[in-house]
Structures are given as C-alpha cells and as structure tokens.
C-alpha cells in the first residue's frame, strides 16, 4: 500500500510499504480523511521528544471498516464509517487503575509511537472503534481534536452560566470553545492572529480579542469579576501568568498547552483566590461525547477546515501547514476522492 512516511526531520515522502493484516482483536481500516494537527507538525520538524524516524504519522481520521481479525463478533460491521480513539494504554499503571488512561505512564499514541493513519490502510484494536453513522468523512476527522477540547471542559467542570476565557484560537482552543458553548457557557477567545479570531467568532465566540489586549478584555467582559474558567491552549508562560490574574476568585484554570519552559506565579494568589489549576491531556472517557457534538453540530464546525490536499500531496500538505500557521487552521488529507 501507499503511505506518507516521515523519514527524517522535515522530510516526508510517499512510499510503498507492506499491507497491514488484522490479527485477533483488531480491525482493518481503509482510511478516508486524515487531519494534520500541531503534534504532527512538532513530530515532523523534530521538536516532539518522541520523534523517531521513519514513522507513518496521523491520529485524527475517518475510515471505513475493511475487515476484522479472527473471532470478531461485535456490533460494528464491514463497511461502517468509524473514527478511532488513538490512545493505547497499558491498563495496569496507577493512572490506568484510576480510570485516567490518558495519563498512562507508558502511553502510546497512533502516529507517534505506532503506525498512524497517513496511509491507505491501518489496523487498530476493535475496542477503539467509534461508529459515526451517517456523518461524512470530513466531519468525522474532526472528532479527535474535539475530544481534546471536551477533556479540557470536563477538567474545568464547565457548565451553564460559566464565563470561559480561552487563550489560543487554534484548533484546540476552538475545540474547547465549541465544547464550552455546547455546555451552555459563554466564551471570550484571544489570539495573536486576527484571522483565527474571525474564525472563532464564526464558530460561536461571544467576544474575541487580540492576545495583547487579553487581560483588559477579560475584565471588561466579566464586569471586573474575572472569568470563572480560564483555558490555556498556548503553553506560553506569559499566558499562564496572565490566566492567574484574570481568573475569578474561586475560579478554575485549565492548561492544555505544551511547553518545556517554566512559569513563575505569585504564591499569594493561590490562596487569596483559592484557585483550582488543572492540567489537561488527550481525553479520558469523553471520546463518545466528542462524537455526539460533531454529529449534532457538524455543519457549524466545517469552517474549522482551512485546506484540503489529496493524499499524493501529503509531503507538500504538512510542509504548508508547518510553514503557514496563520493560514493553515485544520489541514486535511483526502485518501480517496470526495
């Protein structure tokens, strides 16, 4: 089969690779559409600490079930359109025993630690299949990034009436906003790029602001209270420092941005505001809720997709996404014609 193989940092090429075969407990999938996300770009350019080459990347995708390994007797059928929860956990470490497999100490992710979906076919555990009914292939590929936002709002206990300030209007910030709105919250979204702010407004943000004006915007929007929930989708220390200032007393901060930098915070604010500060990683048991949101709100989410490339142009697609962050929001690879 054909696969887009990342052979070295900043180099991807289309290669012929061996066809996969489903073993016991596995499904064989024919990939339809695969999305390129931020972690793919960091893997591609060598900045992901787990980057090892050669690798077939890709973990957010839609597929058609092409077959099953021996002994399968579940409800999913050959020909069904599915998406896949791409996290492979050990099931025995402390976080797994606490129903937090997203924090598994030996977590493996499709397309990073194992073969991913930038290929014509892929085998996955049948336990990770999520049928999507009549949802089309393009929208199905948005479910996995939506699950990241669903995890953020679950960690932050977002509910009706919350004021949610989101720093970072890329796909993960957008996912957190969409999931928050679906829970009945109001959202202010901040970013450095006006184009992303316009998209956030299209997707349902009540208010948007340039990042440089973020602190003033939050306080004005909340009449001086501060946001009940502040979410970071940037990983920038300065943003996390600002989050502590603009979150309401008794508020919650959720950090999903990734960085190796350190951040300095005044200890007094932890107790004075009685803050709850939470990390958010991947998703833990909320993937089905992301499926539900996309099934209900699908057409409203389609503007998240900024570019579409045929699979044969995968090397050009990932290079474009990497080199043009202001223009490339969600870039999709179409494995088969529309």
């Amino acid at each position: 089969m054909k696969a887009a193989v990342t052979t070295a940092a900043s180099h991807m090429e289309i290669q012929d690779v061996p066809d996969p075969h489903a073993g016991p407990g596995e499904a064989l999938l024919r990939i339809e559409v695969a999305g390129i996300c931020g972690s793919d770009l960091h893997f591609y350019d060598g900045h992901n600490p787990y980057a090892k080459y050669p690798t077939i990347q890709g973990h957010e995708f839609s597929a058609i079930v092409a077959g099953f390994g021996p002994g399968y007797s579940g409800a999913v059928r050959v020909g069904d359109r599915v998406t896949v929860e791409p996290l492979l956990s050990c099931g025995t470490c402390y976080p797994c025993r606490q129903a937090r497999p997203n924090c598994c100490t030996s977590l493996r992710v499709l397309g990073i630690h194992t073969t991913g979906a930038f290929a014509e076919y892929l085998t996955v555990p049948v336990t990770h299949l999520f049928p999507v009914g009549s949802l089309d292939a393009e929208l199905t590929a948005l479910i996995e990034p939506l699950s990241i936002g669903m995890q953020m709002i679950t960690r932050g206990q977002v509910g009706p009436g919350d004021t949610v300030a989101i720093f970072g209007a890329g796909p993960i910030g957008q996912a957190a906003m969409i999931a928050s709105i679906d829970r009945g919250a109001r959202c202010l979204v901040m970013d450095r790029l006006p184009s992303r702010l316009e998209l956030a407004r299209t997707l349902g943000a009540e208010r948007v602001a340039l990042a440089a004006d973020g602190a003033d915007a939050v306080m004005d929007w909340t009449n001086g209270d501060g946001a009940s929930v502040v979410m970071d989708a940037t990983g920038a220390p300065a943003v996390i420092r600002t989050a502590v200032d603009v979150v309401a007393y008794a508020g919650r901060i959720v950090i999903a941005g990734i960085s190796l930098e350190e951040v300095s915070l005044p200890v007094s604010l932890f107790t004075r505001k009685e803050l709850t500060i939470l990390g958010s990683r991947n998703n833990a048991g909320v993937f089905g809720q992301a499926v539900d949101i996309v099934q209900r709100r699908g057409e409203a989410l389609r503007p998240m997709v900024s570019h579409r490339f045929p699979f044969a142009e995968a090397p050009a697609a990932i290079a474009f996404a990497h080199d043009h962050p202001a223009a490339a929001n969600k870039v999709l690879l179409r494995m088969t014609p529309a």
Side-chain angles (χ1 to χ4, degrees):
M1 69 171 181
K2 298 291 185 183
V5 183
T6 306
T7 58
S10 300
H11 185 79
M12 176 184 285
E13 58 188 54
I14 304 295
Q15 296 183 357
D16 289 313
V17 302
D19 293 331
H21 299 281
E26 293 183 328
L28 176 66
L29 306 181
R30 175 173 59 82
I31 308 301
E32 295 183 291
V33 172
I36 297 173
C37 83
S39 61
D40 290 317
L41 300 180
H42 293 314
F43 190 103
Y44 168 74
D45 68 16
H47 288 97
N48 186 310
Y50 300 107
K52 292 182 180 180
Y53 310 108
T55 292
I56 300 172
Q57 295 182 237
H59 61 271
E60 45 185 65
F61 59 95
S62 63
I64 298 295
V65 177
F68 294 99
Y72 177 73
S73 60
V76 182
R77 294 287 179 259
V78 171
D80 286 352
R81 176 170 288 138
V82 298
T83 187
V84 172
E85 186 172 23
L87 310 178
L88 306 173
S89 55
C90 73
T92 59
C93 67
Y94 175 76
C96 283
R97 297 196 307 271
Q98 305 306 308
R100 303 271 293 277
N102 58 318
C103 301
C104 174
T105 57
S106 55
L107 184 70
R108 294 177 299 143
V109 180
L110 297 182
I112 296 178
H113 306 92
T114 67
T115 298
F118 292 172
E120 292 179 309
Y121 289 89
L122 175 67
T123 57
V124 302
V126 295
T127 52
H128 288 52
L129 299 178
F130 282 78
V132 298
S134 61
L135 197 66
D136 69 41
E138 184 170 285
L139 293 176
T140 299
L142 299 181
I143 290 171
E144 195 281 336
L146 256 292
S147 75
I148 309 302
M150 181 59 65
Q151 178 71 5
M152 292 172 69
I153 72 157
T154 300
R155 293 284 286 158
Q157 298 181 321
V158 174
D162 270 322
T163 50
V164 181
I166 300 170
F167 286 91
I172 299 307
Q174 294 160 19
M177 181 196 73
I178 291 163
S180 295
I181 293 170
D182 195 63
R183 287 267 183 96
R186 301 161 51 215
C187 292
L188 162 65
V189 179
M190 293 152 284
D191 200 276
R192 294 177 301 165
L193 300 176
S195 59
R196 286 187 170 179
L197 295 179
E198 284 306 308
L199 178 55
R201 196 188 299 277
T202 297
L203 293 171
E206 180 177 297
R207 182 167 169 177
V208 299
L210 289 169
D213 304 322
D216 289 340
V218 173
M219 301 313 290
D220 179 67
W221 181 59
T222 61
N223 297 316
D225 285 341
S228 58
V229 184
V230 178
M231 297 189 177
D232 166 65
T234 71
V239 168
I240 295 170
R241 176 64 185 85
T242 300
V244 173
D245 288 333
V246 301
V247 71
Y249 282 66
R252 291 94 73 197
I253 297 172
V254 181
I255 301 170
I258 298 173
S259 173
L260 296 178
E261 297 184 67
E262 296 184 358
V263 59
S264 178
L265 300 172
V267 175
S268 63
L269 286 180
F270 283 81
T271 51
R272 189 188 316 158
K273 288 189 171 184
E274 199 175 48
L275 293 181
T276 300
I277 300 181
L278 302 148
S280 183
R281 181 184 183 188
N282 300 315
N283 91 90
V286 299
F287 202 88
Q289 296 176 47
V291 174
D292 175 64
I293 287 180
V294 179
Q295 287 177 324
R296 288 187 289 104
R297 293 179 173 264
E299 286 306 318
L301 308 185
R302 206 179 292 275
M304 292 178 68
V305 179
S306 59
H307 296 81
R308 301 161 177 86
F309 287 80
F311 174 57
E313 297 178 19
I318 198 166
F320 173 82
H322 182 273
D323 296 341
H324 300 86
N329 188 63
K330 178 57 61 181
V331 176
L332 299 182
L333 299 177
R334 264 205 176 273
M335 306 298 173
T336 55

Short mmCIF file of all heavy atoms in Angstrom, two decimals, residues 202-232:
data_model
loop_
_atom_site.label_atom_id
_atom_site.label_comp_id
_atom_site.label_asym_id
_atom_site.label_seq_id
_atom_site.Cartn_x
_atom_site.Cartn_y
_atom_site.Cartn_z
N THR A 202 -16.93 33.14 14.02
CA THR A 202 -17.79 32.35 13.14
C THR A 202 -18.27 31.08 13.84
O THR A 202 -19.43 30.66 13.68
CB THR A 202 -17.03 31.97 11.86
OG1 THR A 202 -16.69 33.16 11.14
CG2 THR A 202 -17.87 31.06 10.96
N LEU A 203 -17.39 30.49 14.66
CA LEU A 203 -17.72 29.23 15.35
C LEU A 203 -18.54 29.43 16.61
O LEU A 203 -18.95 28.45 17.24
CB LEU A 203 -16.42 28.48 15.68
CG LEU A 203 -15.63 27.96 14.47
CD1 LEU A 203 -14.27 27.44 14.92
CD2 LEU A 203 -16.40 26.87 13.74
N GLY A 204 -18.76 30.69 17.02
CA GLY A 204 -19.67 30.92 18.13
C GLY A 204 -19.15 31.70 19.31
O GLY A 204 -19.86 31.84 20.31
N ALA A 205 -17.93 32.24 19.24
CA ALA A 205 -17.43 33.03 20.36
C ALA A 205 -18.30 34.27 20.58
O ALA A 205 -18.69 34.94 19.61
CB ALA A 205 -15.98 33.46 20.11
N GLU A 206 -18.60 34.57 21.84
CA GLU A 206 -19.38 35.77 22.15
C GLU A 206 -18.54 37.02 21.93
O GLU A 206 -19.04 38.07 21.52
CB GLU A 206 -19.86 35.72 23.60
CG GLU A 206 -20.68 36.91 24.03
CD GLU A 206 -21.20 36.77 25.43
OE1 GLU A 206 -22.00 35.84 25.70
OE2 GLU A 206 -20.80 37.58 26.30
N ARG A 207 -17.24 36.89 22.21
CA ARG A 207 -16.34 38.02 22.06
C ARG A 207 -14.95 37.51 21.75
O ARG A 207 -14.58 36.41 22.18
CB ARG A 207 -16.32 38.87 23.34
CG ARG A 207 -15.44 40.12 23.27
CD ARG A 207 -15.74 41.05 24.42
NE ARG A 207 -14.74 42.11 24.54
CZ ARG A 207 -14.80 43.09 25.44
NH1 ARG A 207 -15.82 43.14 26.30
NH2 ARG A 207 -13.87 44.02 25.50
N VAL A 208 -14.18 38.27 20.99
CA VAL A 208 -12.80 37.91 20.69
C VAL A 208 -11.92 39.13 20.98
O VAL A 208 -12.41 40.27 21.02
CB VAL A 208 -12.62 37.48 19.22
CG1 VAL A 208 -13.46 36.24 18.92
CG2 VAL A 208 -12.96 38.61 18.26
N ALA A 209 -10.63 38.87 21.19
CA ALA A 209 -9.70 39.96 21.48
C ALA A 209 -8.30 39.53 21.09
O ALA A 209 -7.95 38.35 21.17
CB ALA A 209 -9.74 40.33 22.96
N LEU A 210 -7.49 40.48 20.67
CA LEU A 210 -6.09 40.20 20.43
C LEU A 210 -5.42 39.85 21.76
O LEU A 210 -5.77 40.40 22.81
CB LEU A 210 -5.40 41.41 19.80
CG LEU A 210 -5.79 41.69 18.34
CD1 LEU A 210 -5.24 43.05 17.92
CD2 LEU A 210 -5.28 40.59 17.42
N ALA A 211 -4.46 38.95 21.71
CA ALA A 211 -3.82 38.47 22.92
C ALA A 211 -3.22 39.60 23.75
O ALA A 211 -3.26 39.58 24.99
CB ALA A 211 -2.75 37.44 22.57
N ALA A 212 -2.66 40.60 23.07
CA ALA A 212 -2.04 41.72 23.79
C ALA A 212 -3.05 42.48 24.63
O ALA A 212 -2.68 43.13 25.62
CB ALA A 212 -1.36 42.66 22.80
N ASP A 213 -4.32 42.43 24.24
CA ASP A 213 -5.37 43.13 24.98
C ASP A 213 -6.18 42.18 25.85
O ASP A 213 -7.23 42.57 26.39
CB ASP A 213 -6.32 43.82 23.99
CG ASP A 213 -5.59 44.77 23.06
OD1 ASP A 213 -4.64 45.43 23.52
OD2 ASP A 213 -5.96 44.82 21.87
N GLY A 214 -5.70 40.95 26.00
CA GLY A 214 -6.49 39.91 26.63
C GLY A 214 -6.90 40.20 28.06
O GLY A 214 -8.07 40.01 28.43
N ALA A 215 -5.98 40.66 28.89
CA ALA A 215 -6.30 40.89 30.30
C ALA A 215 -7.40 41.93 30.45
O ALA A 215 -8.38 41.72 31.19
CB ALA A 215 -5.04 41.32 31.06
N ASP A 216 -7.27 43.04 29.74
CA ASP A 216 -8.30 44.08 29.82
C ASP A 216 -9.63 43.57 29.27
O ASP A 216 -10.70 43.88 29.81
CB ASP A 216 -7.85 45.32 29.04
CG ASP A 216 -6.71 46.05 29.71
OD1 ASP A 216 -6.51 45.86 30.94
OD2 ASP A 216 -6.00 46.81 29.02
N ALA A 217 -9.57 42.79 28.19
CA ALA A 217 -10.79 42.28 27.58
C ALA A 217 -11.55 41.37 28.53
O ALA A 217 -12.78 41.46 28.64
CB ALA A 217 -10.46 41.54 26.29
N VAL A 218 -10.83 40.50 29.24
CA VAL A 218 -11.49 39.58 30.18
C VAL A 218 -12.19 40.35 31.28
O VAL A 218 -13.35 40.10 31.62
CB VAL A 218 -10.48 38.58 30.77
CG1 VAL A 218 -11.15 37.75 31.88
CG2 VAL A 218 -9.94 37.65 29.70
N MET A 219 -11.49 41.33 31.85
CA MET A 219 -12.07 42.07 32.97
C MET A 219 -13.25 42.92 32.53
O MET A 219 -14.25 43.04 33.25
CB MET A 219 -10.99 42.92 33.65
CG MET A 219 -9.81 42.11 34.20
SD MET A 219 -10.28 40.63 35.15
CE MET A 219 -10.97 41.39 36.61
N ASP A 220 -13.16 43.49 31.33
CA ASP A 220 -14.28 44.28 30.81
C ASP A 220 -15.48 43.38 30.53
O ASP A 220 -16.62 43.72 30.86
CB ASP A 220 -13.84 45.01 29.54
CG ASP A 220 -14.97 45.82 28.93
OD1 ASP A 220 -15.40 46.80 29.55
OD2 ASP A 220 -15.44 45.45 27.83
N TRP A 221 -15.22 42.22 29.91
CA TRP A 221 -16.28 41.28 29.53
C TRP A 221 -17.02 40.74 30.74
O TRP A 221 -18.22 40.50 30.70
CB TRP A 221 -15.65 40.16 28.72
CG TRP A 221 -16.56 39.09 28.21
CD1 TRP A 221 -17.64 39.23 27.39
CD2 TRP A 221 -16.44 37.68 28.46
NE1 TRP A 221 -18.20 38.01 27.11
CE2 TRP A 221 -17.48 37.04 27.75
CE3 TRP A 221 -15.55 36.91 29.19
CZ2 TRP A 221 -17.65 35.65 27.77
CZ3 TRP A 221 -15.70 35.54 29.21
CH2 TRP A 221 -16.75 34.92 28.51
N THR A 222 -16.29 40.58 31.85
CA THR A 222 -16.90 40.00 33.07
C THR A 222 -17.26 41.05 34.10
O THR A 222 -17.53 40.72 35.26
CB THR A 222 -15.93 38.99 33.69
OG1 THR A 222 -14.70 39.66 34.06
CG2 THR A 222 -15.62 37.84 32.75
N ASN A 223 -17.26 42.33 33.70
CA ASN A 223 -17.59 43.42 34.63
C ASN A 223 -16.72 43.40 35.87
O ASN A 223 -17.17 43.67 36.98
CB ASN A 223 -19.07 43.35 35.03
CG ASN A 223 -20.01 43.55 33.86
OD1 ASN A 223 -19.80 44.44 33.03
ND2 ASN A 223 -21.02 42.71 33.75
N GLY A 224 -15.44 43.05 35.67
CA GLY A 224 -14.47 43.09 36.75
C GLY A 224 -14.38 41.84 37.59
O GLY A 224 -13.50 41.74 38.46
N ASP A 225 -15.26 40.85 37.35
CA ASP A 225 -15.22 39.63 38.16
C ASP A 225 -14.05 38.72 37.81
O ASP A 225 -13.57 37.96 38.66
CB ASP A 225 -16.51 38.82 37.97
CG ASP A 225 -17.69 39.44 38.70
OD1 ASP A 225 -17.46 40.24 39.62
OD2 ASP A 225 -18.83 39.11 38.32
N GLY A 226 -13.61 38.74 36.57
CA GLY A 226 -12.70 37.72 36.07
C GLY A 226 -13.51 36.54 35.55
O GLY A 226 -14.68 36.37 35.90
N ALA A 227 -12.90 35.75 34.69
CA ALA A 227 -13.59 34.60 34.10
C ALA A 227 -13.69 33.46 35.10
O ALA A 227 -12.74 33.19 35.84
CB ALA A 227 -12.85 34.13 32.85
N SER A 228 -14.83 32.79 35.14
CA SER A 228 -14.97 31.66 36.06
C SER A 228 -14.06 30.52 35.67
O SER A 228 -13.59 29.75 36.52
CB SER A 228 -16.42 31.19 36.12
OG SER A 228 -16.89 30.80 34.84
N VAL A 229 -13.77 30.39 34.35
CA VAL A 229 -12.82 29.38 33.87
C VAL A 229 -11.91 30.04 32.85
O VAL A 229 -12.38 30.73 31.94
CB VAL A 229 -13.53 28.18 33.21
CG1 VAL A 229 -12.52 27.11 32.81
CG2 VAL A 229 -14.58 27.59 34.14
N VAL A 230 -10.60 29.83 33.00
CA VAL A 230 -9.63 30.30 32.01
C VAL A 230 -8.91 29.09 31.46
O VAL A 230 -8.47 28.22 32.20
CB VAL A 230 -8.61 31.28 32.62
CG1 VAL A 230 -7.59 31.71 31.57
CG2 VAL A 230 -9.31 32.51 33.20
N MET A 231 -8.82 29.01 30.13
CA MET A 231 -8.18 27.88 29.48
C MET A 231 -6.99 28.35 28.67
O MET A 231 -7.08 29.33 27.92
CB MET A 231 -9.18 27.16 28.58
CG MET A 231 -10.33 26.55 29.34
SD MET A 231 -11.31 25.48 28.29
CE MET A 231 -12.51 24.89 29.50
N ASP A 232 -5.90 27.62 28.80
CA ASP A 232 -4.70 27.91 28.03
C ASP A 232 -4.49 26.84 26.98
O ASP A 232 -4.37 25.66 27.30
CB ASP A 232 -3.46 27.96 28.92
CG ASP A 232 -2.18 27.91 28.08
OD1 ASP A 232 -1.96 28.88 27.33
OD2 ASP A 232 -1.45 26.90 28.15
#
